[in-house]
């Protein structure tokens, strides 16, 4: 039995329960969820993705190097698009975010995009 994979699943479930609780608390208080909610959501995505990818990442062969390379490139392109979208949205006042909210949003998008792209490319290759 592979305990590392199981630990990633347990962490993913724990983070998803925490995220669900924070969303529920925000809903019950009739406000937006706390900003920490989005970071725990990104950690949920990361943990569950790593639980799926762990057996493949452990091999360290050419296929995994290709998946990492393609995933990093896709994340870089997506990050450039995110930054342009936020920049345009802020310039034309389509969105109003504080600096803290913007950094947290970019962090969540970066973490989620990276690990989801790893999973997608592992399915392709």
């Amino acid at each position: 039995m592979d305990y590392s994979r199981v630990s990633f699943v347990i962490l993913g479930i724990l983070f998803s329960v925490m995220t669900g609780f924070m969303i529920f608390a925000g809903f019950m208080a009739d406000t937006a969820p706390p900003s920490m909610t989005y970071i725990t959501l990104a950690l949920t995505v990361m943990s569950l993705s790593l639980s799926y990818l762990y057996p493949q990442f452990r091999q360290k062969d050419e296929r995994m190097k290709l998946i990492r390379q393609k995933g990093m490139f896709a994340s870089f392109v997506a990050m450039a698009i995110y930054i342009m979208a936020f920049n345009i949205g802020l310039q034309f006042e389509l969105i109003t975010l504080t600096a803290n909210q913007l950094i947290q949003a970019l962090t969540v998008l970066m973490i989620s995009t990276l690990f989801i792209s790893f999973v997608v490319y592992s399915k392709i290759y």
Side-chain angles (χ1 to χ4, degrees):
M1 175 160 224
D2 196 1
Y3 292 109
S4 296
R5 190 171 191 181
V6 172
S7 64
F8 283 127
V9 170
I10 291 170
L11 282 173
I13 292 170
L14 178 67
F15 285 132
S16 65
V17 168
M18 287 171 47
T19 303
F21 176 73
M22 286 189 265
I23 290 172
F24 178 73
F27 178 74
M28 292 305 289
D30 202 27
T31 61
S35 60
M36 183 73 169
T37 305
Y38 307 112
I39 299 293
T40 56
L41 180 64
L43 291 174
T44 301
V45 169
M46 182 182 76
S47 297
L48 294 176
S49 297
L50 283 174
S51 72
Y52 175 78
L53 294 168
Y54 179 76
Q56 300 165 14
F57 273 11
R58 201 172 66 190
Q59 293 173 355
K60 296 188 192 279
D61 58 355
E62 284 297 317
R63 179 177 166 263
M64 280 319 299
K65 288 180 185 176
L66 178 67
I67 289 170
R68 286 181 182 155
Q69 181 182 12
K70 296 271 188 183
M72 291 295 284
F73 180 74
S75 295
F76 174 75
V77 170
M79 199 64 197
I81 292 169
Y82 297 150
I83 290 172
M84 283 191 297
F86 277 126
N87 196 9
I88 290 169
L90 290 170
Q91 284 290 326
F92 293 113
E93 297 179 1
L94 299 172
I95 55 174
T96 54
L97 295 173
T98 64
N100 188 26
Q101 291 171 331
L102 182 65
I103 290 172
Q104 285 185 346
L106 285 172
T107 302
V108 168
L109 287 170
M110 184 173 57
I111 291 170
S112 299
T113 302
L114 178 65
F115 287 99
I116 290 171
S117 68
F118 282 166
V119 170
V120 168
Y121 282 117
S122 73
K123 293 270 189 187
I124 293 173
Y125 299 109

